[in-house]
Amino acid sequence: MSATSHHPTARRPLRSVLLALLAALLPLAATLVTAPAAAAGESAGERAVPAATLTEVANFGANPSNLRMYLYVPESVTPDPAVVVAVHWCTGSGPDMYNGTEYDTLADQYGFIVLYPSVTRSSKCFDVSSPQSLRRGGGSDPVGIKSMIDWVTRTYDADTERVFATGISSGAMMTNVLLGDYPDVFAAGAAFSGVPFGCFATTDGSEWNSACSGGTVTHTPKEWGDLVRNAYPGYTGPRPRMQIWHGTQDDVLRYPNFGEQVKQWTNVQGVSQAPAATDTPQSGWVRTRYGGTGDQAPVEAVSLQGVGHNLYAHGMASRVLTFFGLDRSGPAPQPQPGACKVTASVNAWNTGLTTSVTITNTGTTTVSGWKLGFTLPAGQTVTGGWGATYAPTSGSVTAVNVSYNGTIAPGASVSIGYQASHGGNSAAPSAFTLNGTACATG
């Protein structure tokens, strides 16, 4: 909904907020539109300009909110390419996101396609508040973006298991919404200065939610997780991984939204809120990983001390690609067996249970692609799972890694799990093998 369609009493506060956002984001736009630094060995005047350019695509499919679609396809696009959906900030546009981030130059290097949705409503903010936007196929911006993705995957035979979303501010909020509405479409997302899925929801037609932007909307992890799950009722498949970035001095979308996003996506992923790993990849940064310790953990959160709303800087896109698993070229390494340890814990009730499994690489060689074998106790049948595909559903089961967690570095862990029915025996499996090698248990 555009700002001009609000009731008069709501128009003035929204306008002041948008003006504040514009003032905050103009420095970002001014700094980001500068040309990327020359590659090693090149002077600024010698740097080669890629032949590929940003193009607009019309008539891409259902588009209830009249979005525009911009696309960057590198000259060196790979077969079955991945797709990165890069979502702009309030007052911005698809071309602004193209000019203000490095995803196009990284696409030149790694061969993926970049899709830039662009808002046409007067606020230039994405709709993350209407009831239509917060349910799968409900209408508004998410439907238009899904149509764009479908057009790209059809036209370029793109890999439907490697579709990703990333965004800044309003685009970060839309990243949360897209992953909630379409968990079967996205493998992962990265949100810079955003808010949780459903936090910006309104019932009066307003685009702006002051309580959420002010950081005063809080829920339990389960309540946050239920908001996501209710966007696509009945869905039991794997959920997208999430990377969350936020500055402690954000005065537009306050810092408590960082912790609320962590609560939401750890619950959606079914992993502990206690970090599996904590480090400081750069001065003033604190990075926590949940459900795994590697670069593709189910949830990764980066807190930037003393940084405001405009936290995005050159080089961060490379860290996003690492989280997405797109910063590699050439064929994937073949699976390598190695020493391993597996822990399993069960939460059982009546005739059902969930089992959480942690796989740790205790060897000295990276495991690249894995199959975890185990035997279910008699009477148990797998009804769903996360972090892996499971077959068959009873007896001797094999759990195979999904696209985002196939690599386990030495000393690193991956967390997966499954739901099962049982006839009275709710025990965990007693033995496991990883790529054919027996694992220690504990």
Side-chain angles (χ1 to χ4, degrees):
M1 179 174 291
S2 70
T4 57
S5 63
H6 284 66
H7 297 295
T9 55
R11 186 181 300 137
R12 191 171 296 108
L14 175 61
R15 182 178 298 161
S16 63
V17 168
L18 293 174
L19 287 173
L21 277 173
L22 176 61
L25 289 165
L26 279 175
L28 174 69
T31 57
L32 290 178
V33 171
T34 57
E42 296 176 328
S43 70
E46 295 171 339
R47 187 177 186 274
V49 178
T53 59
L54 186 70
T55 59
E56 184 171 6
V57 177
N59 302 318
F60 49 82
N63 184 23
S65 54
N66 197 32
L67 298 177
R68 297 175 73 173
M69 172 183 173
Y70 294 90
L71 196 65
Y72 183 82
V73 181
E75 291 288 304
S76 57
V77 65
T78 61
D80 304 316
V83 179
V84 173
V85 182
V87 195
H88 68 74
W89 53 90
C90 271
T91 75
S93 67
D96 288 339
M97 190 73 176
Y98 165 76
N99 287 318
T101 59
E102 315 98 285
Y103 293 107
D104 59 322
T105 56
L106 291 168
D108 291 330
Q109 183 176 358
Y110 296 112
F112 58 87
I113 294 172
V114 194
L115 167 60
Y116 300 92
S118 194
V119 170
T120 58
R121 63 178 60 87
S122 60
S123 67
K124 298 299 176 68
C125 296
F126 284 91
D127 175 15
V128 295
S129 56
S130 74
Q132 292 79 14
S133 71
L134 298 175
R135 67 178 187 270
R136 178 186 177 84
S140 197
D141 297 346
V143 167
I145 295 173
K146 172 63 162 55
S147 296
M148 298 178 194
I149 294 168
D150 290 343
W151 187 95
V152 172
T153 56
R154 287 194 310 268
T155 304
Y156 293 94
D157 196 23
D159 187 346
T160 56
E161 293 188 1
R162 293 193 301 150
V163 178
F164 306 88
T166 184
I168 302 168
S169 189
S170 179
M173 294 191 274
M174 178 51 71
T175 296
N176 277 264
V177 168
L178 289 171
L179 268 59
D181 285 356
Y182 295 102
D184 54 332
V185 172
F186 294 94
F192 290 83
S193 302
V195 305
F197 177 99
C199 184
F200 240 62
T202 59
T203 57
D204 61 358
S206 172
E207 289 180 291
W208 193 258
N209 185 319
S210 296
C212 179
S213 65
T216 63
V217 176
T218 62
H219 290 296
T220 66
K222 183 180 183 302
E223 288 169 342
W224 279 125
D226 285 346
L227 287 175
V228 171
R229 288 182 283 270
N230 290 339
Y232 187 5
Y235 177 74
T236 59
R239 293 282 177 172
R241 296 177 301 113
M242 176 62 91
Q243 184 185 59
I244 304 160
W245 299 73
H246 221 104
T248 61
Q249 299 303 309
D250 193 325
D251 59 354
V252 177
L253 300 172
R254 299 283 182 175
Y255 184 68
N257 285 299
F258 175 71
E260 298 302 302
Q261 288 176 89
V262 172
K263 288 160 61 176
Q264 182 171 66
W265 291 103
T266 52
N267 181 265
V268 168
Q269 284 286 344
V271 301
S272 172
Q273 288 185 71
T278 302
D279 65 356
T280 54
Q282 188 167 310
S283 177
W285 294 15
V286 176
R287 178 172 61 189
T288 47
R289 287 168 167 166
Y290 304 84
T293 59
D295 288 335
Q296 284 88 50
V299 178
E300 180 175 280
V302 186
S303 174
L304 285 69
Q305 181 64 39
V307 176
H309 188 63
N310 300 336
L311 61 79
Y312 184 86
H314 188 90
M316 289 182 175
S318 295
R319 295 181 180 271
V320 170
L321 287 200
T322 297
F323 182 73
F324 289 171
L326 296 181
D327 58 348
R328 298 186 294 269
S329 57
Q334 294 301 306
Q336 302 175 33
C340 49
K341 178 180 179 180
V342 175
T343 59
S345 60
V346 176
N347 179 24
W349 65 92
N350 296 332
T351 59
L353 60 85
T354 60
T355 301
S356 298
V357 179
T358 300
I359 309 165
T360 302
N361 179 3
T362 58
T364 59
T365 304
T366 297
V367 175
S368 298
W370 51 262
K371 296 180 179 181
L372 184 73
F374 55 91
T375 300
L376 285 176
Q380 292 187 17
T381 301
V382 173
T383 57
W386 61 93
T389 58
Y390 299 82
T393 57
S394 61
S396 297
V397 177
T398 300
V400 181
N401 70 273
V402 289
S403 60
Y404 60 78
N405 64 1
T407 300
I408 314 177
S413 300
V414 167
S415 294
I416 64 173
Y418 58 87
Q419 301 93 29
S421 60
H422 67 84
N425 184 351
S426 59
S430 58
F432 298 85
T433 60
L434 185 68
N435 291 346
T437 298
C439 297
T441 57

